[in-house]
Amino acid sequence: GDFRKKHSFCKQGSCFVNICKCCTDIYFFFNFVNKKEKMLNVTRVVLSSRPGNNGQPVKENFRVEETTTSSELKEGQVLVRTLYLSVDPYMRCRMNDDTGADYLLPWRLEECVDGGGVGVVKASKNPDLSVGTIVTSFNWHWQTYDVMDGSLLQKVDPGMVDGHVSYFLGAVGMPGLTAFFGVREKGHVTAGAQQTMVVSGAAGACGSVAGQIGRLDGCKTVVGICGSDQKCQTLVKELGFTAGINYRNGDVSSALREHCPRGIDIYFDNVGGPISDAVISQMNPGAHVILCGQISQYNKDVPYPPPLSQDTQDALRRNNITRERFIVLNYMEKHAEGLMQLSHWVKTGQIKVLETVVNGIQNMGEAFCSMMTGGNIGKQVVKISD
């Protein structure tokens, strides 16, 4: 106000110095307001404790907290508002000090965790990302707003998913790509060969898409293994699987013999453990195991991939069955092609998308734990904002 006319001063950055004593309080007030205007209130999720290598994760392993972050942008950066966050089985490995996988870094205690996310640019100093652009990243912090390096973000077109931007975390994102390249690169599906495919974890984000791709690529029989009768009905009635097997109800081996009378040619393995042992024991000579995930083993202190029983090792060797570790990141140069194909299938209705959506960042821990125990049908996502 009028003190600027009455008193001389020198401005350095956002602070005034060489101020006369009578105006000190006023200058400090203006400086405080100036700084507050550059700060943004943020809700975030941090890892507050680890479940232990053999422990079951609980929502209390995560803590929701309020904080502030500077909204000042450097060249190349953008401010994003989070729309959806993803929870995925591989994240259980990141809860340990040692993830067991050389391509995964552990989450650090008392720090904000990260994973797949999609959001909208709210402010930008990046010439390639204008305000309003929808972006996604595999390393999105679990928080409501964030300042991010634009070079680490992928620009996406909502038209690819008919406006359902959460699909970029599922069927037209990393899980969909995992299913696509798993089947195409490791499944050896041959149209007209009357092949039988079995998918474990078939009602999850990746398995539900993998089974549909197997059917589209020419498998005669596609059988899904999942954890409830409702999921089995969804696989058959909505996704076009030949049959569904509820592993919690009855003998898996007997059900496989019923639904796969000619044996099994392709196995998309998402779970490992006894279910995979049962499948592999009925695979045909020269068959292929697509080793995608081992969720049944993630709460155990074992290496990845976990060791097999001697009987299963003998079956693989005796029948010349291939079982190779599969990492979707090895196909980065083909991701654009894969996303276009997945988008086409989704938009034309050839692939049906299943989602379980939880609302609110405060429910991230609960959503993660539910996904780990099979509480989801299709992709589990958390909606953070509209």
Side-chain angles (χ1 to χ4, degrees):
D2 291 340
F3 62 85
R4 296 199 181 196
K5 300 177 181 178
K6 298 177 182 177
H7 305 284
S8 62
F9 59 87
C10 171
K11 184 179 181 183
Q12 294 182 350
S14 61
C15 299
F16 295 103
V17 295
N18 297 332
I19 314 168
C20 73
K21 186 172 177 54
C22 67
C23 293
T24 299
D25 289 341
I26 299 174
Y27 275 114
F28 279 142
F29 172 75
F30 272 86
N31 184 35
F32 174 74
V33 171
N34 186 42
K35 286 188 175 179
K36 287 292 286 184
E37 288 175 347
K38 297 176 183 176
M39 302 304 289
L40 192 65
N41 292 325
V42 171
T43 305
R44 68 176 189 171
V45 180
V46 301
L47 184 68
S48 60
S49 61
R50 301 189 189 278
N53 289 348
N54 292 298
Q56 188 84 11
V58 293
K59 63 180 181 180
E60 288 77 17
N61 293 133
F62 303 93
R63 185 178 70 252
V64 180
E65 62 183 26
E66 303 294 328
T67 187
T68 58
T69 187
S70 173
S71 60
E72 288 288 312
L73 300 179
K74 299 177 182 178
E75 289 301 319
Q77 290 184 329
V78 295
L79 171 67
V80 293
R81 174 166 55 85
T82 305
L83 298 175
Y84 291 91
L85 292 171
S86 174
V87 291
D88 300 281
Y90 79 89
M91 293 175 173
R92 174 60 185 87
C93 302
R94 299 193 69 188
M95 297 182 78
N96 297 337
D97 281 309
D98 181 358
T99 66
D102 53 11
Y103 59 92
L104 285 179
L105 294 175
W107 286 331
R108 295 187 178 184
L109 288 172
E110 300 303 321
E111 291 189 6
C112 187
V113 299
D114 67 310
V118 63
V120 59
V121 175
K122 302 300 291 182
S124 177
K125 281 194 175 181
N126 187 302
D128 298 322
L129 299 172
S130 59
V131 172
T133 301
I134 303 298
V135 291
T136 186
S137 171
F138 194 56
N139 300 109
W140 197 289
H141 286 122
W142 287 12
Q143 56 188 58
T144 50
Y145 288 87
D146 201 5
V147 173
M148 303 180 73
D149 184 340
S151 66
L152 303 179
L153 296 170
Q154 179 184 357
K155 185 191 304 186
V156 290
D157 176 10
M160 291 181 66
V161 290
D162 287 336
H164 301 287
V165 296
S166 59
Y167 289 5
F168 290 123
L169 302 179
V172 191
M174 197 60 70
L177 287 172
T178 301
F180 180 77
F181 290 115
V183 174
R184 286 282 174 93
E185 300 289 337
K186 299 294 183 181
H188 301 277
V189 177
T190 303
Q194 308 292 302
Q195 290 168 303
T196 295
M197 171 187 278
V198 172
V199 182
S200 57
C206 187
S208 61
V209 176
Q212 293 182 82
I213 294 174
R215 172 177 53 78
L216 289 168
D217 280 358
C219 287
K220 178 179 175 58
T221 302
V222 179
V223 176
I225 303 174
C226 52
S228 74
D229 290 340
Q230 178 191 0
K231 290 180 178 180
C232 289
Q233 292 173 7
T234 299
L235 294 180
V236 175
K237 294 182 178 180
E238 296 187 31
L239 306 189
F241 281 61
T242 309
I245 297 172
N246 180 359
Y247 70 86
R248 301 180 193 270
N249 184 19
D251 180 59
V252 172
S253 293
S254 297
L256 286 170
R257 283 191 291 271
E258 175 186 351
H259 295 299
C260 311
R262 293 188 299 274
I264 299 163
D265 303 297
I266 302 147
Y267 174 40
F268 199 101
D269 185 4
N270 285 306
V271 303
I275 290 176
S276 292
D277 291 341
V279 176
I280 291 171
S281 71
Q282 297 187 40
M283 295 189 77
N284 293 323
H288 305 281
V289 177
I290 305 166
L291 183 56
C292 178
Q294 303 280 279
I295 192 172
S296 73
Q297 308 297 299
Y298 286 166
N299 291 329
K300 301 177 182 179
D301 185 13
V302 295
Y304 186 87
L308 299 170
S309 69
Q310 189 60 53
D311 286 345
T312 300
Q313 292 183 53
D314 290 344
L316 291 171
R317 186 168 47 251
R318 180 174 61 253
N319 291 314
N320 193 29
I321 298 169
T322 63
R323 178 180 181 266
E324 297 177 343
R325 188 172 177 178
F326 168 70
I327 303 173
V328 68
L329 297 178
N330 290 343
Y331 300 92
M332 290 292 292
E333 75 283 356
K334 296 182 178 180
H335 278 197
E337 169 194 341
L339 290 172
M340 290 301 295
Q341 179 63 74
L342 290 164
S343 170
H344 172 72
W345 279 333
V346 169
K347 292 178 69 173
T348 56
Q350 295 178 81
I351 282 184
K352 307 294 185 184
V353 180
L354 302 178
E355 278 189 320
T356 298
V357 182
V358 171
N359 290 309
I361 196 169
Q362 71 275 11
N363 294 314
M364 289 297 300
E366 184 176 344
F368 173 77
C369 294
S370 175
M371 177 273 305
M372 287 296 297
T373 56
N376 59 299
I377 297 181
K379 181 74 187 83
Q380 176 79 68
V381 296
V382 180
K383 184 178 181 180
I384 307 303
S385 67
D386 293 317

